[in-house]
Amino acid sequence: MPHAHDAPLEIRDDDLTGSATRALIARHLAGMHEDSPPESVHALGIDALTGPGMRVWSAWYGAELAGVAALKRLDDERGELKSMRVDDRFLGRGVGRALLRHAIAAARVAGLSSLWLETGSPDSFEPARRLYASEGFVTCGPFPPYVEDPFSVFMTLDIAQR
């Protein structure tokens, strides 16, 4: 069997029924609770990620799950990135960037003009903030339903101009 690093990265729609994807979402939620107080955790669980207006992708190297990302449609023009998580085994290999670019492209195809996100302010979120900024996201104020929170950083990207 080829090693994961031998296979190309494949990003596919995910219905969240697979055990690997469900386990990564659970690890994502647990990780968010390790770094932020409960009232500042805005990550979504499986039920919310399968709700209306949601689209979820998973990234795979062969049979190994490398990461997940979701897009929540906020309205006719805006979408919110949710649940971006790369499995620790694949950090630093471009999985997050590939998922982010995939979500941006899908949002554009869906006719959205902007993307929004909430991420953490603690140091452990610095790599995520750097990734978003490197892809053109800029810091902004909270957007509904969020409010100012010292544990949150809010960012947006105008994809109509890209």
Side-chain angles (χ1 to χ4, degrees):
M1 180 171 142
H3 290 24
H5 62 272
D6 295 332
L9 184 68
E10 177 191 354
I11 298 174
R12 54 179 100 132
D13 285 301
D14 199 304
D15 64 6
L16 298 173
T17 58
S19 60
T21 309
R22 293 175 78 86
L24 186 55
I25 295 296
R27 282 198 304 279
H28 178 62
L29 284 169
M32 297 302 98
H33 283 280
E34 289 167 9
D35 289 337
S36 302
E39 67 274 10
S40 297
V41 173
H42 304 290
L44 299 179
I46 296 292
D47 289 344
L49 286 170
T50 57
M54 296 296 304
R55 188 156 178 208
V56 180
W57 300 277
S58 53
W60 298 81
Y61 280 115
E64 294 188 66
L65 177 63
V68 294
L71 176 64
K72 177 181 182 181
R73 187 175 201 114
L74 297 175
D75 56 36
D76 288 345
E77 296 184 359
R78 301 176 310 130
E80 180 183 1
L81 281 171
K82 298 295 293 182
S83 300
M84 285 275 300
R85 181 68 176 218
V86 174
D87 186 287
D88 291 348
R89 299 170 301 151
F90 297 100
L91 290 172
R93 296 192 190 176
V95 174
R97 186 172 305 280
L99 280 164
L100 180 58
R101 287 179 175 173
H102 189 86
I104 292 168
R108 188 176 289 115
V109 168
L112 301 180
S113 59
S114 63
L115 285 177
W116 302 76
L117 65 87
E118 179 276 336
T119 190
S121 63
D123 290 346
S124 58
F125 291 89
E126 180 60 26
R129 293 191 305 267
R130 276 197 319 267
L131 169 64
Y132 300 134
S134 74
E135 291 294 324
F137 281 82
V138 295
T139 304
C140 63
F143 55 97
Y146 301 102
V147 296
E148 279 295 338
D149 182 335
F151 286 90
S152 290
V153 172
F154 304 97
M155 302 180 86
T156 188
L157 174 69
D158 182 350
I159 59 176
Q161 302 301 314
R162 284 180 59 122

